[in-house]
Amino acid sequence: MKPYMKVSLAALAIGVGVWVGSVYSNTAIGAGTSQPGTADDPVVTKSYVDQQIQKALNGGTNAGAGNSAGNNSGSTGTGSTGSDTSLPPVVSGASDAVEIVTVKPGQQLIGASGAEFIVRSGKAVIVSEGTNGVADLTDGVDLTNGQAAPTNHLLSFPRDGRGITVLDGNKYSLTVMVRGGYSLK
């Protein structure tokens, strides 16, 4: 091949490359026409979103929804539809506040649906009426009725009517950190 042909083909290849690059460049610019922060693509903050969610929750209709897991303070219900009337009223409904509860021998600390307990001191056993029990989130196991509740483990109560009590024969009280609804019987 002659040298002027090599130079001509090289120039043609460069020209085609520049042309293809400009076509793709214009396509990419045209694809995202809206600028962030404009009416077409608004930028919002977390506080704005939280405020709008609160407005929607407070102003929306909750017919038939029961008591949701939101703000339960001041409520004596446990979020159930009223089919289980054997449980005593919930003493605490604060979902985010952690309370320190003392359970004396002979008493039972029954968690509402979604409650979390951490036994800080004392010997506790699980109280559960069904075949399933309480989730020990620290070890990732299910503790059934009568099993020992380990200290300093996060226990989750998926349903109403499950709880802990002092080990039979033990004369010392339990100290338990509780988050969520509970009753003491």
Side-chain angles (χ1 to χ4, degrees):
M1 189 177 252
K2 297 192 181 200
Y4 71 89
M5 278 296 263
K6 289 181 182 178
V7 171
S8 298
L9 285 173
L12 180 65
I14 290 173
V16 169
V18 168
W19 177 75
V20 168
S22 67
V23 168
Y24 280 121
S25 175
N26 286 338
T27 304
I29 290 173
T33 58
S34 61
Q35 292 287 336
T38 63
D40 293 334
D41 186 17
V43 176
V44 296
T45 62
K46 181 184 179 304
S47 61
Y48 174 78
V49 172
D50 291 342
Q51 179 185 18
Q52 295 304 315
I53 290 172
Q54 286 301 321
K55 282 183 185 177
L57 290 177
N58 292 339
T61 60
N62 291 334
N67 197 358
S68 65
N71 187 2
N72 290 346
S73 60
S75 171
T76 58
T78 59
S80 66
T81 58
S83 61
D84 187 7
T85 58
S86 63
L87 292 176
V90 173
V91 174
S92 171
S95 61
D96 288 336
V98 175
E99 295 184 41
I100 306 299
V101 178
T102 301
V103 182
K104 297 178 181 167
Q107 287 184 321
Q108 291 182 348
L109 180 63
I110 306 297
S113 178
E116 297 175 339
F117 294 176
I118 298 176
V119 179
R120 293 292 293 150
S121 67
K123 303 279 185 191
V125 293
I126 301 297
V127 175
S128 176
E129 296 174 359
T131 57
N132 293 331
V134 175
D136 179 355
L137 300 178
T138 304
D139 280 344
V141 296
D142 196 41
L143 303 174
T144 57
N145 189 37
Q147 279 189 300
T151 56
N152 298 318
H153 281 220
L154 180 60
L155 306 176
S156 176
F157 296 82
R159 293 194 176 134
D160 295 335
R162 299 173 185 183
I164 59 174
T165 188
V166 179
L167 180 67
D168 284 339
N170 196 354
K171 61 182 179 177
Y172 299 107
S173 298
L174 300 175
T175 302
V176 183
M177 294 172 54
V178 178
R179 181 183 336 206
Y182 69 93
S183 63
L184 197 57
K185 353 189 239 182

